[in-house]
Amino acid sequence: MATVHSRSAKVFETLGDRRRAAAMYGAASRPPGTYARIVALDLVAQAEMQAAEGSIEQACATWGKAIDHMHGVQSRRTRKAVGSMRRDLSRFRTRGLRCAAELDERAREFLSSSRWHSRDTGNRLSRAISGSPRTSCPTAWFALQLLASAA
């Protein structure tokens, strides 16, 4: 059912009905601990609709929930969504809106830790592929084992 709500939200968004789009994104809940990236991106979309409707405090709360769901998620789409959120918040941050400033700080921290983790994972994968025994990336090791067994 969550997928239906999410898709319905996208239709309402395309039709320009932001209020219904936000409601559908909000209804697109999934079981706790599952589909973290999808849940986070649906929350981001819901917050964008709320902000477009002028409900910036509500949008900040929803964006905050989205960042909570992004913990541990490594995805270009989530990093892109957080970057977009920071751009959307900039005009409210410069006006001194406290929730926007606090959320922007959380987003900045998320992006800086996310970039570090992505580079670190890439470095570990490079070492694994080059045959270095120092790899600590089980996923890369497993992928290499699969490739070796297929050869």
Side-chain angles (χ1 to χ4, degrees):
M1 194 63 165
T3 301
V4 172
H5 288 298
S6 181
R7 298 292 182 230
S8 297
K10 288 174 184 12
V11 169
F12 284 124
E13 183 178 349
T14 301
L15 294 174
D17 191 341
R18 295 183 201 131
R19 185 185 54 78
R20 284 190 178 158
M24 286 290 114
Y25 280 123
S29 63
R30 298 176 193 274
T34 61
Y35 306 103
R37 183 181 66 89
I38 294 169
V39 170
L41 292 172
D42 280 348
L43 287 168
V44 166
Q46 180 183 12
E48 289 170 349
M49 295 299 103
Q50 292 166 338
E53 286 293 303
S55 302
I56 191 61
E57 289 87 3
Q58 189 176 12
C60 285
T62 305
W63 269 317
K65 289 178 191 175
I67 290 176
D68 292 341
H69 282 279
M70 290 178 191
H71 179 71
V73 173
Q74 290 298 310
S75 161
R76 282 187 184 165
R77 288 181 64 196
T78 56
R79 287 189 305 275
K80 183 179 176 183
V82 173
S84 177
M85 177 196 68
R86 290 192 73 205
R87 284 187 297 280
D88 291 345
L89 286 173
S90 66
R91 68 175 186 223
F92 300 105
R93 192 177 59 242
T94 57
R95 292 181 193 166
L97 190 60
R98 184 176 161 190
C99 70
E102 290 171 355
L103 184 58
D104 184 64
E105 178 62 23
R106 284 188 64 200
R108 188 188 60 73
E109 289 171 6
F110 171 82
L111 289 172
S112 66
S113 68
S114 179
R115 282 189 193 118
W116 178 84
H117 183 72
S118 295
R119 276 183 287 197
D120 182 55
T121 302
N123 290 339
R124 286 184 284 161
L125 184 58
S126 295
R127 285 194 306 267
I129 291 171
S130 68
S132 170
R134 299 181 325 172
T135 185
S136 60
C137 183
T139 305
W141 179 86
F142 182 70
L144 290 172
Q145 296 303 311
L146 285 175
L147 288 172
S149 68

